[in-house]
Amino acid sequence: MYYILYKDFDILNIKIYNNIKKWYNIYMKTIKCIKTYEYIINKSRFISISYKVENIEEIKQILKEIRSLYPLAKHYTYAYRLINTAKKYDDGEPSGTASNPIFEQIILNDLYNTLIVVIRYFGGILLGASGLSRAYRSSASNCLKDNMIEITYGFKIVFYSSYSKQSYYDKLLHNYKYNKEYLDNIKYTAYILKKDIDKFPIITKEEELIEI
């Protein structure tokens, strides 16, 4: 299994009643992998690329690299959506004709942690506002095709066990990532799903949302 910690995920819903925590898994759709799609209309070349991203710094680095990879392009338009922020950018195209249809595809597919960049090499023929919107919409849509996944989120938990129950918890956790510290009792740090939470003792530290 592959785990990524989400430090800034701020919509976790935790309620505490009588020292019993009720846990809620969160599901999110995002991009499987980097995918490129190329589209030519009236001599204008559109190159769309979809990325799974985690933060704004990563997005800035990708945008910088794209300008280096495609140095002669006329426009570098994009839209992205993270958990707690989103942005659209037309880069000189008529307002809304590029970034709006790109962002529309992100919203339509209910995607998060997603960046779509569409690079345009101008072919000398004006496409008009409606033609531009259709071109950018088609480019964004096609670089998402067959490139979306649903992620399940669980939690990082910390709990303590007596040595007599070590084999029980080791067996319970064998499908998950975890580690142990041998103190007066055994301190477990584990990454688990909602369905298993009731099998563990009361949580003793704050949880962190993770991708499982």
Side-chain angles (χ1 to χ4, degrees), residues 123-134:
I125 300 173
L126 296 174
L127 301 181
S130 60
L132 275 176
S133 291
R134 284 194 299 270

Side-chain angles (χ1 to χ4, degrees), residues 12-81:
L12 181 60
N13 183 9
I14 300 176
K15 297 178 181 178
I16 304 177
Y17 297 101
N18 299 323
N19 289 328
I20 298 174
K21 288 194 174 184
K22 295 188 176 183
W23 300 76
Y24 298 82
N25 282 345
I26 297 169
Y27 300 89
M28 182 181 77
K29 284 177 67 180
T30 190
I31 298 299
K32 285 182 187 176
C33 59
I34 298 171
K35 181 179 178 181
T36 302
Y37 175 80
E38 187 168 331
Y39 175 63
I40 297 175
I41 179 171
N42 290 344
K43 298 184 180 180
S44 276
R45 180 184 173 203
F46 295 83
I47 303 167
S48 55
I49 313 172
S50 56
Y51 299 86
K52 180 185 174 186
V53 290
E54 307 296 340
N55 53 61
I56 292 174
E57 288 307 311
E58 183 181 0
I59 291 169
K60 287 179 179 178
Q61 184 60 36
I62 289 169
L63 295 174
K64 182 179 178 181
E65 290 172 358
I66 281 177
R67 288 181 179 270
S68 296
L69 289 170
Y70 303 94
L72 301 179
K74 179 70 173 176
H75 303 283
Y76 305 87
T77 65
Y78 64 84
Y80 66 77
R81 187 191 197 190

